[in-house]
Amino acid sequence: MAEGDSFISVDYEVSGKVQGVFFRKYTQAEGKKLGVVGWVQNTEHGTVQGQLQGPTVKVRELQEWLRKTGSPKSQIKRAEFRNEKKIVALEYKNFSIVK
């Protein structure tokens, strides 16, 4: 990592048609591609939630992907991000799908 890069952590929840459309699998793949770690899971109320951690610029890219792209068959209504904070070290080693 270049000097001056910092890590951030942010929680997210995405609503719309995001379950049953491989949203978690595509989110995991996009996170791995960008070098972001964290997790993703379906909720009981039809949304997808999780946490992202990584270099600020890469987390921002994944946030934009969650807002606008998602999986090919998804229809995103809203993506909410909460509890953003700077962190000194990553708390996860990879990007996992939580069942």
Side-chain angles (χ1 to χ4, degrees):
M1 251 179 29
E3 192 168 332
D5 284 353
S6 59
F7 292 128
I8 62 169
S9 175
V10 64
D11 299 336
Y12 65 92
E13 185 167 11
V14 183
S15 59
K17 185 180 176 186
V18 293
Q19 289 190 7
V21 292
F22 298 99
F23 198 90
R24 293 176 301 165
K25 181 180 175 185
Y26 277 87
T27 301
Q28 180 188 45
E30 192 69 15
K32 286 181 175 182
K33 182 176 97 175
L34 291 170
V36 173
V37 299
W39 56 274
V40 59
Q41 75 178 151
N42 287 337
T43 69
E44 291 179 357
H45 51 275
T47 64
V48 171
Q49 69 179 5
Q51 187 175 70
L52 310 174
Q53 293 186 353
T56 303
V57 67
K58 297 298 183 184
V59 170
R60 295 283 181 247
E61 284 183 52
L62 190 50
Q63 285 179 297
E64 190 67 8
W65 184 91
L66 287 166
R67 251 188 225 105
K68 298 198 169 144
T69 306
S71 65
K73 293 186 185 288
S74 67
Q75 295 173 357
I76 299 164
K77 282 189 183 167
R78 184 172 62 244
E80 297 179 46
F81 301 96
R82 302 182 283 288
N83 303 323
E84 183 174 309
K85 61 187 177 194
K86 288 187 179 188
I87 55 174
V88 293
L90 300 174
E91 297 167 14
Y92 306 98
K93 296 209 181 311
N94 54 30
F95 203 105
S96 59
I97 295 173
V98 178
K99 302 282 182 191

